[in-house]
Amino acid sequence: MSYKLFIPGPIAVSEKTLRAMAQPMIGHRSTDFVALYQSIQPQLQSLFYTKDPVYLSTSSAWGVMEGSLRNLVAKKVLCCMNGAFSDKWLDVALRLGKQAGALRTEWGQAIDPEALRAELSQGGYDTVTLIHNETSTGTMSDLPAIMAVLRDFPDVLSIVDTVSSFSVLPIEKDALGIDVLLTGSQKALALPPGLALASVSPRALARAATLKDRGYYFDFLEFQKNHENGMTPSTPVVPLIYALKSKLEDIHAEGPANRYARHARLNARVRDWGRTNGFTLFPQDRYGSLSLNCFTNTREIDLPALNKLLKEEHALVIDGGYGKLKGKTFRISNMGDETDETIAVLLAALDAALAKLSK
Ligand SMILES: *Cc1c(COP(=O)(O)O)cnc(C)c1O
């Protein structure tokens, strides 16, 4: 049975993207690959708002998230934590044997720039990890305000995860001073899983060069060396790079500004639907994510039963809460290719299913 995903990742992939993947294989050291790689760099750099290269990693986002720690943390990393993905990053740092500190915030709260300033003022840190859009709680932190604080600590490098917010709104890497800006393929970009993208600043590369335990697979210096020849360090997931090229064409055709406006409009529409139906937003309103809505299950709906109805009668799926929020919240994605029409279909299905459940 085929059904459409409105969970916040992986999300629905368009027919056009799927077709783009079904092309003959090319050798990853061939001139055809170099042409493919180099053809997408300008559009990627424009979407990353950077003049630095954008590396393509055949891994999920976690590969580059872990790799960033190995490449950047010489002394101690401060992990900004306000949900499942950002909390996990501290665990990953400790597993790597890195010195790590925690800036803990309640799930559903945004990262507080002044709390970050206070912690960094204690000294000892050389790296910060931040998740711009905590997908587990639908909370979007104020990235410009956080980066303004980090610019006051020039020795502290920033690793910013935009897995579920990249291309949903402008994230200006160079202007904000982000050292590693990373994202994955299967969320905001609406590609299948398996590819991560990262743009790395020259000073982050300089830091990496001083570190001995970068490993191989996620070594930024290997990525840089190969990038200079239009290639990746090891054999990449070529079909996903075809898909990425196709997606970049879509984004270019729509126009980034129109894409940002579409995401904002669809997000507001789902949020209004939630309010009208008696559900409150889990995060504070002003930090509500633009790419998904995480609602508190105020009405104590039987979420597995709701999803069963949605799947069986409407061929679509929403998310019934992440980790410790399972059953207590539900999440609806408006990432990727969603339109006014597809969101209208989803909301009508939700109305019908809720009506049936409350009988
Ligand atoms: C999904 C997600 C990740 C993890 O991505 P993988 O592709 O599973 O490695 C990391 N950060 C955020 C914000 C996410 O939403």
Side-chain angles (χ1 to χ4, degrees):
M1 175 191 178
S2 106
Y3 46 85
K4 178 165 177 182
L5 296 178
F6 282 93
I7 63 174
I11 65 164
V13 175
S14 72
E15 286 294 328
K16 174 177 182 278
T17 299
L18 290 174
R19 276 197 309 274
M21 293 176 65
Q23 295 183 57
M25 249 344 90
I26 52 176
H28 66 296
R29 301 297 181 218
S30 68
T31 52
D32 289 332
F33 181 81
V34 172
L36 171 65
Y37 183 97
Q38 291 178 339
S39 72
I40 59 176
Q41 278 296 317
Q43 278 176 342
L44 284 174
Q45 286 172 308
S46 143
L47 269 186
F48 276 78
Y49 295 83
T50 188
K51 55 179 176 20
D52 299 327
V54 178
Y55 305 144
L56 304 181
S57 168
T58 295
S59 65
S60 81
W62 270 115
V64 176
M65 291 162 78
E66 174 170 329
S68 298
L69 296 170
R70 294 192 74 172
N71 279 275
L72 265 60
V73 184
K75 286 191 271 175
K76 187 174 182 184
V77 59
L78 178 60
C79 298
C80 299
M81 298 159 66
N82 63 339
F85 293 103
S86 47
D87 288 4
K88 182 81 191 163
W89 224 340
L90 174 71
D91 177 36
V92 172
L94 295 172
R95 289 187 198 204
L96 290 174
K98 297 291 184 185
Q99 294 285 318
L103 184 70
R104 282 201 178 79
T105 309
E106 284 288 298
W107 281 31
Q109 305 266 318
I111 300 300
D112 174 3
E114 289 314 311
L116 176 62
R117 180 189 302 282
E119 184 61 28
L120 289 177
S121 301
Q122 308 284 320
Y125 293 107
D126 65 2
T127 310
V128 162
T129 64
L130 175 77
I131 295 202
H132 175 220
N133 190 57
E134 218 342 312
T135 319
S136 61
T137 62
T139 306
M140 193 173 256
S141 289
D142 183 347
L143 187 58
I146 291 167
M147 292 310 302
V149 168
L150 281 168
R151 288 195 297 275
D152 291 339
F153 298 87
D155 298 334
V156 179
L157 302 186
S158 53
I159 310 171
V160 180
D161 163 329
T162 61
V163 173
S164 58
S165 54
F166 182 79
S167 82
V168 171
L169 69 170
I171 299 169
E172 303 193 9
K173 173 177 167 285
D174 289 358
L176 292 173
I178 297 170
D179 290 294
V180 178
L181 181 60
L182 69 93
T183 191
S185 52
Q186 79 275 22
K187 293 189 190 168
L189 282 171
L191 303 174
L195 185 69
L197 299 84
S199 183
V200 177
S201 72
R203 64 181 199 147
L205 286 179
R207 170 80 63 78
T210 67
L211 287 176
K212 292 280 168 279
D213 62 348
R214 302 189 303 274
Y216 167 68
Y217 196 75
F218 296 108
D219 179 2
F220 287 165
L221 299 186
E222 287 286 345
F223 275 96
Q224 177 59 27
K225 198 172 72 191
N226 281 277
H227 166 83
E228 287 164 14
N229 297 317
M231 295 180 205
T232 53
S234 52
T235 318
V237 62
V238 174
L240 277 176
I241 300 178
Y242 284 138
L244 176 61
K245 185 177 170 70
S246 159
K247 177 56 61 182
L248 290 168
E249 287 161 6
D250 298 346
I251 294 174
H252 185 71
E254 181 179 16
N258 293 332
R259 181 179 176 88
Y260 305 147
R262 172 169 60 83
H263 285 306
R265 184 174 75 245
L266 301 182
N267 183 263
R269 198 155 162 200
V270 175
R271 198 170 299 183
D272 286 346
W273 170 88
R275 271 207 207 90
T276 309
N277 284 278
F279 299 107
T280 52
L281 205 61
F282 181 72
Q284 270 177 291
D285 249 47
R286 58 186 284 231
Y287 297 114
S289 165
L290 286 173
S291 62
L292 69 139
N293 279 284
C294 179
F295 293 108
T296 303
N297 186 10
T298 340
R299 285 169 53 185
E300 297 187 0
I301 302 290
D302 179 346
L303 293 176
L306 175 66
N307 246 336
K308 189 162 185 285
L309 273 177
L310 287 173
K311 194 166 174 179
E312 287 173 1
E313 298 187 2
H314 304 276
L316 49 88
V317 178
I318 65 164
D319 169 85
Y322 193 102
K324 66 185 183 188
L325 296 177
K326 201 176 180 67
K328 299 193 175 89
T329 61
F330 60 97
R331 301 178 301 161
I332 299 173
S333 163
N334 57 273
M335 298 176 208
D337 304 324
E338 299 311 332
T339 63
D340 293 281
E341 292 72 34
T342 63
I343 293 292
V345 168
L346 165 72
L347 298 181
L350 277 165
D351 284 338
L354 282 175
K356 202 159 184 176
L357 276 184
S358 30
K359 271 207 195 112

